[in-house]
Amino acid sequence: MIHETAVVSGDAVIGEGVEVGPFAVIEENVEIGAGSKIEAHAVLKSGAMIGQAVTIGSFCVIAGLPQDLGFNPTMKTYVRIGDRTTVREGSTINRATEQEGATTVGEDCFLMAVTHLGHDCQVGNQVVMANNCLLAGHVTVGDSAFLGGGAGIHQYCRIGKGAMIAGHATITMDIPHFTMMAERNVLFGLNLVGMRRRGVSRDTIKSLKSCYTEVFARSGNIKQIAKDMLEEGFAAAPESTEFLEFFSNGVYNRGFARPNRED
């Protein structure tokens, strides 16, 4: 159902059962999957690709131009949002900067009010971002990560799978898989509660604890340390392998958050 006051381009592709609220704007080159809901005053700009059963809250702007002074606005780029994801009111997601590229949000995510995803961000599945989270351009967020309210992430940083970021944290480095981070680039151990809630086994958690302790206890280049530990057989579970491989998989060399001295 499309409200009579909504402005919808005739070139937009609207799936079955989509609801479009009052005064919403849907531009050309927009696709909305079946069963999705676009609330009042939301704006879906050209390049917005919305999955099925997605909710876009009031006053959101999806696929706005990248906040990049060098971007050519005629370039064809996208925002892609996965099925069953909710984007709450006032949030903004900018489209990508590379030709045919996309800023992406996975399936079953929950982006709370006034979150911002800059251009070229890649957000995994089942990610929760609390109010006022700010992601600069090219940030990557792994599956099942949780970002607390007001957290700010510098461009090109990676947030690992299953990581938990405290409210108002400042992130200018990569945050490894399954860890907890607060303040400014400080790790506070593994996200044990999050892993237990997801059903991670005790043996896997034990293996991760061993890897976490050892990788930060040794002195030297942390990428080489993690590589050595993999060769030494420290990774007794697939999650441990993922944890250690995180240190060698980065492209932009942001450096890595580390534990505080009391941890």
Side-chain angles (χ1 to χ4, degrees), residues 20 28 51 61-62 75 80 105 145 153 183 206 214 240-242:
V20 180
E28 74 283 353
V61 179
I62 309 300
M75 188 176 293
R80 301 187 188 277
V105 179
I153 297 89
E183 301 173 2
K206 182 179 179 180
E214 186 69 17
S240 302
T241 300
E242 287 183 279

Side-chain angles (χ1 to χ4, degrees), residues 196-208:
R196 288 167 182 154
R197 286 176 176 172
R198 294 195 304 276
V200 178
S201 71
R202 290 184 178 181
D203 287 343
T204 295
I205 291 174
K206 182 179 179 180
S207 175
L208 280 166

Side-chain angles (χ1 to χ4, degrees), residues 209-219 225 229 232 234:
K209 284 181 176 179
S210 176
C211 288
Y212 177 92
T213 300
E214 186 69 17
V215 78
F216 292 115
R218 298 186 187 186
S219 59
I225 291 169
M229 289 174 62
E232 294 165 14
F234 262 86

Side-chain angles (χ1 to χ4, degrees), residues 78-147:
Y78 305 94
V79 165
R80 301 187 188 277
I81 298 179
D83 297 346
R84 299 174 302 280
T85 284
T86 295
V87 183
R88 290 294 298 269
E89 56 273 11
S91 295
T92 54
I93 305 178
N94 294 165
R95 58 189 176 98
T97 57
E98 301 293 333
Q99 182 69 32
E100 297 295 331
T103 302
T104 63
V105 179
E107 298 180 351
D108 301 297
C109 294
F110 185 22
L111 278 55
M112 299 184 198
V114 204
T115 55
H116 171 73
L117 274 61
H119 59 81
D120 301 284
C121 285
Q122 307 294 311
V123 175
N125 300 319
Q126 298 179 322
V127 171
V128 177
M129 295 173 55
N131 296 21
N132 297 293
C133 282
L134 305 174
L135 273 59
H138 299 277
V139 168
T140 300
V141 181
D143 294 348
S144 302
F146 181 95
L147 280 62

Side-chain angles (χ1 to χ4, degrees), residues 4-262:
E4 61 183 7
T5 62
V7 179
V8 180
S9 170
D11 294 328
V13 178
I14 310 295
E16 184 177 353
V18 169
E19 297 181 31
V20 180
F23 303 104
V25 177
I26 299 174
E27 296 184 349
E28 74 283 353
N29 192 32
V30 169
E31 296 181 11
I32 305 174
S36 290
K37 182 177 182 180
I38 312 302
E39 295 183 349
H41 297 278
V43 179
L44 273 58
K45 302 184 76 66
S46 180
M49 303 290 150
I50 309 300
Q52 298 184 23
V54 171
T55 297
I56 304 296
S58 296
F59 300 101
C60 289
V61 179
I62 309 300
L65 291 178
Q67 296 176 138
D68 181 337
L69 293 175
F71 179 71
N72 178 356
T74 66
M75 188 176 293
K76 195 172 183 179
T77 63
Y78 305 94
V79 165
R80 301 187 188 277
I81 298 179
D83 297 346
R84 299 174 302 280
T85 284
T86 295
V87 183
R88 290 294 298 269
E89 56 273 11
S91 295
T92 54
I93 305 178
N94 294 165
R95 58 189 176 98
T97 57
E98 301 293 333
Q99 182 69 32
E100 297 295 331
T103 302
T104 63
V105 179
E107 298 180 351
D108 301 297
C109 294
F110 185 22
L111 278 55
M112 299 184 198
V114 204
T115 55
H116 171 73
L117 274 61
H119 59 81
D120 301 284
C121 285
Q122 307 294 311
V123 175
N125 300 319
Q126 298 179 322
V127 171
V128 177
M129 295 173 55
N131 296 21
N132 297 293
C133 282
L134 305 174
L135 273 59
H138 299 277
V139 168
T140 300
V141 181
D143 294 348
S144 302
F146 181 95
L147 280 62
I153 297 89
H154 194 279
Q155 61 188 6
Y156 296 106
C157 288
R158 294 182 296 151
I159 309 300
K161 178 180 179 181
M164 183 171 185
I165 309 303
H168 297 287
T170 300
I171 299 172
T172 63
M173 295 180 169
D174 289 351
I175 309 301
H177 296 312
F178 314 116
T179 58
M180 294 191 301
M181 177 268 174
E183 301 173 2
R184 185 181 180 93
N185 301 322
V186 180
L187 298 183
F188 288 85
L190 294 171
N191 182 14
L192 300 177
V193 173
M195 286 191 285
R196 288 167 182 154
R197 286 176 176 172
R198 294 195 304 276
V200 178
S201 71
R202 290 184 178 181
D203 287 343
T204 295
I205 291 174
K206 182 179 179 180
S207 175
L208 280 166
K209 284 181 176 179
S210 176
C211 288
Y212 177 92
T213 300
E214 186 69 17
V215 78
F216 292 115
R218 298 186 187 186
S219 59
N221 182 284
I222 197 166
K223 290 186 176 182
Q224 187 61 48
I225 291 169
K227 182 179 178 181
D228 292 343
M229 289 174 62
L230 282 167
E231 294 174 353
E232 294 165 14
F234 262 86
E239 289 84 352
S240 302
T241 300
E242 287 183 279
F243 174 80
L244 293 174
E245 288 179 342
F246 180 90
F247 295 97
S248 61
N249 288 341
V251 175
Y252 299 109
N253 297 315
R254 297 298 309 171
F256 302 99
R258 295 172 181 264
N260 63 2
R261 294 181 178 179
E262 289 78 25

